[in-house]
Amino acid sequence: MTGQMIGLLIGAAAGTLMTVYFTQEQIEAWAWRIPFFVGLVIIPVAVYIRQRLDETEVFRNAKREEAAKGTHIGIGELLANSWRETVLGIGLVAAATVTVYITFTYLVTFATKILQLPLQETFEVQMLGAFWVVVLTPLMGILSDKIGRSKLLITSLAVYLVILFPLYSWLTAAPTIERLVVVQLATGLCAAAFFAVFSTVMAVLFPTRVRSLGLSISYNVAVMLIGGFAQFIVTWLIQQTGSPMAPTYYVMFGVALGLIAAVILGKRADSDEHF
């Protein structure tokens, strides 16, 4: 999750540089393509990493047992035996998805188009928010080792849910860059605490035999339904309601799903039995 936020940080830096070296008209006409071309350099890096990834010993043992028995893991087995874990996983991914897609990624569009804040300064706030989460996430991971993943998971999502409405109400009532910074730092603190345990909790949800399949279905279903359409949905909600608070309600919906999943999961989030 730190790596994902580093990607957002680099993207925000690219956006900031675009506003420095190009006019608004140039950006809208052709210059917006430049960061996409630069982003293509990730392809050979991704291929290199993928070709050299190794599996854990517990997974290799499971594969050997599967081959010896002549069995094959399918979606049917996952849904029959691990449907509860799959549903809980979708809830957790929903919270992560709305955070990345709306709280951080949609920030520039929301701040410039809805709140009418300056583009360059908004990119700089996005950079600051991403950097804040990059720094905090490993520290929160250390904290989770001391107090347990379940406590940090539930607490971070509960606080996140509670502060969203008052923070964004305060921001939209009198939009300024300074208030936007405060909102990003506050939500970023909660996001970092959640991100610190999110990936591990998702992994321990599923037994080794179905972990890859369970993670894939949980992640992609939530991202497809809640994340992929997120910016379209919140833009539509703003148009329909006329309220700049519409994105906040969408984030609260996703975070609430994650909190419900975290509460139901409870102490199981601290377990390492599947590792």
Side-chain angles (χ1 to χ4, degrees):
M1 296 307 293
T2 300
Q4 184 169 357
M5 294 307 294
I6 289 174
L8 180 63
L9 174 59
I10 295 172
T16 302
L17 290 174
M18 294 288 290
T19 61
V20 171
Y21 290 104
F22 299 100
T23 65
Q24 183 70 28
E25 292 73 21
Q26 289 173 323
I27 292 174
E28 294 178 358
W30 58 271
W32 62 269
R33 296 180 175 88
I34 295 176
F36 288 91
F37 285 116
V38 175
L40 291 176
V41 300
I42 196 63
I43 295 177
V45 176
V47 172
Y48 177 86
I49 293 174
R50 184 65 187 88
Q51 289 177 339
R52 287 160 178 78
L53 278 177
D54 197 10
E55 297 290 357
T56 62
E57 185 63 30
V58 66
F59 181 79
R60 288 196 293 266
N61 291 337
K63 290 295 289 184
R64 284 193 288 267
E65 292 176 8
E66 180 185 334
K69 295 177 182 179
T71 58
H72 176 70
I73 301 170
I75 295 179
E77 178 182 342
L78 174 72
L79 296 179
N81 300 320
S82 302
W83 66 268
R84 293 178 183 83
E85 290 79 4
T86 303
V87 172
L88 292 177
I90 290 173
L92 292 174
V93 176
T97 297
V98 296
T99 299
V100 173
Y101 279 73
I102 302 299
T103 304
F104 294 103
T105 306
Y106 186 67
L107 170 71
V108 174
T109 302
F110 175 69
T112 57
K113 301 298 183 182
I114 306 302
L115 303 183
Q116 300 297 309
L117 294 175
L119 180 61
Q120 181 177 336
E121 292 179 24
T122 300
F123 269 124
E124 290 169 353
V125 174
Q126 189 181 45
M127 287 178 60
L128 175 64
F131 178 77
W132 175 241
V133 176
V134 167
V135 172
L136 284 181
T137 300
L139 299 178
M140 290 296 178
I142 294 172
L143 178 62
S144 75
D145 290 338
K146 298 181 182 299
I147 68 173
R149 291 189 291 265
S150 61
K151 288 182 180 179
L152 193 60
L153 182 67
I154 294 173
T155 302
S156 62
L157 289 174
V159 173
Y160 194 7
L161 182 61
V162 168
I163 67 172
L164 277 167
F165 185 83
L167 275 179
Y168 277 91
S169 295
W170 176 67
L171 173 63
T172 56
T176 64
I177 289 295
E178 291 74 20
R179 290 194 176 198
L180 187 63
V181 169
V182 172
V183 170
Q184 283 298 101
L185 294 181
T187 55
L189 176 63
C190 297
F194 171 51
F195 287 166
V197 295
F198 166 69
S199 298
T200 306
V201 171
M202 286 295 296
V204 301
L205 264 178
F206 300 96
T208 305
R209 277 174 52 81
V210 296
R211 178 171 297 147
S212 180
L213 185 61
L215 283 170
S216 297
I217 292 178
S218 296
Y219 185 85
N220 286 291
V221 167
V223 171
M224 177 181 66
L225 296 179
I226 298 175
F229 292 102
Q231 297 194 27
F232 169 81
I233 292 173
V234 297
T235 301
W236 178 80
L237 286 173
I238 291 172
Q239 291 176 344
Q240 295 299 310
T241 63
S243 171
M245 288 291 291
T248 310
Y249 302 140
Y250 194 76
V251 176
M252 291 175 67
F253 166 71
V255 173
L257 292 180
L259 179 59
I260 292 169
V263 171
I264 294 174
L265 186 59
K267 290 294 184 181
R268 279 188 57 193
D270 297 319
S271 174
D272 291 328
E273 62 176 303
H274 296 323
F275 279 1

